[in-house]
Amino acid sequence: MMDPDVLSNLPDNVIDEILIRVPFRDAVCTSILSKKWRYTWCGLPHLMLDSDFWKPQKDTSSFTTSIHNIMTRHSGPITNFTLCIQYWKSCPRIDNLLSFLSGKNIQHLVLRLPRSFELPSSFFTCLQPRHLFLQNCLLLPPPAFKGFDRLIGLELHDVTIPSKSLESLISHCLFLEQLVLNISDTLMSDVIEINALKLRSCDFTGDLATICLNRVPLLAKLSLRHYHEDWKKFDVANFLTSNFFESCSSLEHLHLDYTDVARGQEIPTELPFHLMCVKRLCMCIYLGSDEILCALCLIRSFPFLRYLEIQMEYNILHDMPALVSLEMEAFPDVISKHLTEVKLIEANGSMREMQLIKLLLAKLPALVRMSIKPHTCLEQSAIFKRLADLREFERASPKAEVLFKLV
């Protein structure tokens, strides 16, 4: 006969796996299921105090009570801890919580806090996480702070921090491998030099004029998205003629996203140097003259590029006139010898897009596949007409095929 108390007879590791996969509020409620489950939640290594946990109250009193109950009842290590109170009008004191976590061998720490909340000084002295995610807070490291010795992953989203403090924080985290910066605050007015000898992945969103990759010898993946709160245009010519990528000798994947560029300087045909390791290039651009020439400049500067992806930002002026700079006569030589795959996203069949497609098909001798995902505004009849037009384009590669992806 089956034991009536099935829940009590479940192995401990099975119970733990169940509780880890349910919201923390529900995990606490399982205390009523059986005697064996009563205090099981008190040993969970993953705690997520998200918006669901704080329902229905979002005030200092409920926060203090909940944190006190956790601190007095939880036993064992806490490897992952998430606190989400970014939509609260004010932030309660979290000093005791940070002190509590410091003795729990915290590995992954996520703090989504109300905007402009200043992290207490204890944050910099009592914790040594491996992965740190901060959102919406004021980060002012004390002068004596020398970084997090064990940190390998750092994510800062809308965090207010002086440029020099951020620069120092990154350089003093000697084992940092992954860096995500999404910063638009005015304190980021000075250029920050990134020195991270073990950094392998970097994702930056902000004013590209405020970042300098100084010493990043192992950086393999780089994502750059230009954003400025005052809609400052991106000086792409200055970006390409500078030594921005000079220290990126190990770079393999590059994602570049910018919208409106500053006009003026002439776009170079190549970077001042070649990056031999880059295999993938993804760009999100408008099809202005400078934007297209920027893409071609980068393609030429990555001799062993294998994959190219361009997402065309939709422009109501989709019938912009043809560009002389994209005429075949302007490109007597092959653009890339090793590029095998091209993907064009949100294409709307404009004249400039057709120019670019024609140029790539004629100047990429190793091309195997070009896939085109049309913009959703295009009707299928227009798509088939474009496909017929492409059949007439000269192809440098006998293996090249053009595919339209409708979904």
Side-chain angles (χ1 to χ4, degrees):
M1 181 179 296
M2 182 180 294
D3 191 327
D5 192 358
V6 177
L7 293 177
S8 295
N9 291 329
L10 287 175
D12 291 341
N13 64 316
V14 174
I15 296 176
D16 290 341
E17 289 297 322
I18 292 174
L19 294 184
I20 287 176
R21 285 167 169 75
V22 300
F24 184 59
R25 172 183 284 272
D26 295 339
V28 175
C29 291
T30 60
S31 299
I32 65 174
L33 294 179
S34 73
K35 292 181 179 180
K36 188 176 181 179
W37 287 60
R38 182 165 300 171
Y39 299 110
T40 302
W41 73 267
C42 298
L44 288 178
H46 299 178
L47 303 186
M48 179 177 288
L49 310 186
D50 56 9
S51 56
D52 290 333
F53 178 82
W54 297 112
K55 291 178 180 178
Q57 295 184 345
K58 297 181 180 180
D59 54 44
T60 302
S61 176
S62 64
F63 179 89
T64 302
T65 302
S66 297
I67 295 301
H68 175 75
N69 288 334
I70 292 174
M71 291 192 301
T72 55
R73 298 183 182 184
H74 193 281
S75 60
I78 298 177
T79 57
N80 293 49
F81 183 85
T82 298
L83 176 63
C84 299
I85 53 175
Q86 68 269 35
Y87 299 118
W88 289 26
K89 294 182 179 179
S90 61
C91 186
R93 292 181 62 86
I94 61 173
D95 302 63
N96 291 338
L97 173 61
L98 295 177
S99 298
F100 168 73
L101 293 175
S102 67
K104 291 292 185 176
N105 192 31
I106 191 74
Q107 301 289 310
H108 297 253
L109 178 62
V110 177
L111 298 177
R112 300 179 183 267
L113 304 171
R115 188 169 295 277
S116 300
F117 171 78
E118 182 176 352
L119 286 171
S121 57
S122 58
F123 172 80
F124 302 98
T125 58
C126 66
L127 296 173
Q128 286 297 334
R130 300 274 287 171
H131 298 269
L132 177 62
F133 180 109
L134 298 177
Q135 180 180 358
N136 288 348
C137 56
L138 176 60
L139 194 61
L140 298 175
F145 180 65
K146 298 301 181 182
F148 297 106
D149 294 340
R150 301 165 55 196
L151 196 68
I152 62 175
L154 174 64
E155 289 195 40
L156 303 181
H157 295 261
D158 294 320
V159 170
T160 302
I161 179 172
S163 297
K164 293 305 177 184
S165 296
L166 178 56
E167 186 177 289
S168 177
L169 170 62
I170 294 172
S171 63
H172 283 97
C173 296
L174 301 181
F175 295 97
L176 189 64
E177 295 182 4
Q178 295 110 26
L179 176 64
V180 177
L181 299 176
N182 189 333
I183 299 178
S184 59
D185 195 88
T186 53
L187 289 183
M188 281 291 297
S189 57
D190 298 325
V191 175
I192 170 179
E193 291 188 359
I194 294 182
N195 295 284
L197 299 182
K198 293 186 179 294
L199 190 65
R200 297 182 180 276
S201 173
C202 179
D203 188 324
F204 177 83
T205 299
D207 185 351
L208 292 182
T210 64
I211 182 175
C212 172
L213 301 174
N214 193 27
R215 298 175 63 200
V216 287
L218 299 183
L219 185 63
K221 297 182 66 175
L222 176 62
S223 178
L224 301 170
R225 297 175 179 86
H226 180 72
Y227 169 80
H228 195 280
E229 57 185 4
D230 296 327
W231 298 102
K232 176 182 175 182
K233 293 183 178 182
F234 176 42
D235 191 344
V236 66
N238 182 66
F239 177 76
L240 295 175
T241 54
S242 69
N243 294 326
F244 185 89
F245 294 107
E246 188 172 19
S247 67
C248 304
S249 56
S250 300
L251 188 63
E252 297 180 7
H253 300 174
L254 173 63
H255 180 101
L256 187 58
D257 185 347
Y258 55 85
T259 52
D260 204 6
V261 304
R263 311 294 172 181
Q265 299 183 46
E266 183 178 352
I267 304 296
T269 57
E270 298 182 20
L271 295 178
F273 42 81
H274 284 178
L275 293 178
M276 312 304 289
C277 293
V278 178
K279 302 294 191 300
R280 295 176 64 91
L281 172 62
C282 301
M283 303 185 70
C284 182
I285 60 174
Y286 286 121
L287 288 184
S289 174
D290 287 356
E291 291 89 338
I292 295 176
L293 292 179
C294 172
L296 295 173
C297 169
L298 293 176
I299 294 172
R300 292 192 193 95
S301 303
F302 306 150
F304 294 97
L305 188 68
R306 298 295 183 88
Y307 176 86
L308 172 66
E309 179 177 307
I310 299 179
Q311 178 168 339
M312 274 78 72
E313 287 291 321
Y314 181 64
N315 193 322
I316 58 174
L317 301 176
H318 59 277
D319 284 330
M320 291 184 290
L323 291 172
V324 176
S325 57
L326 278 181
E327 293 297 334
M328 209 68 70
E329 292 75 15
F331 299 88
D333 301 321
V334 167
I335 296 177
S336 175
K337 294 181 180 180
H338 300 280
L339 188 54
T340 60
E341 184 174 357
V342 174
K343 186 174 184 179
L344 304 176
I345 303 174
E346 300 297 327
N348 59 13
S350 68
M351 189 175 296
R352 291 186 182 181
E353 287 176 4
M354 299 301 284
Q355 276 189 289
L356 180 60
I357 293 172
K358 184 177 182 179
L359 178 64
L360 293 176
L361 287 174
K363 299 296 180 178
L364 298 178
L367 186 65
V368 174
R369 181 181 300 106
M370 175 182 288
S371 59
I372 302 174
K373 184 178 181 181
H375 195 280
T376 53
C377 70
L378 282 182
E379 298 180 355
Q380 286 199 9
S381 58
I383 295 174
F384 292 129
K385 182 179 184 303
R386 300 299 180 191
L387 183 59
D389 293 341
L390 293 180
R391 291 174 181 169
E392 305 300 323
F393 290 169
E394 177 186 354
R395 305 185 188 189
S397 169
K399 298 180 180 180
E401 59 177 350
V402 180
L403 305 175
F404 269 76
K405 295 193 174 181
L406 303 183
V407 292

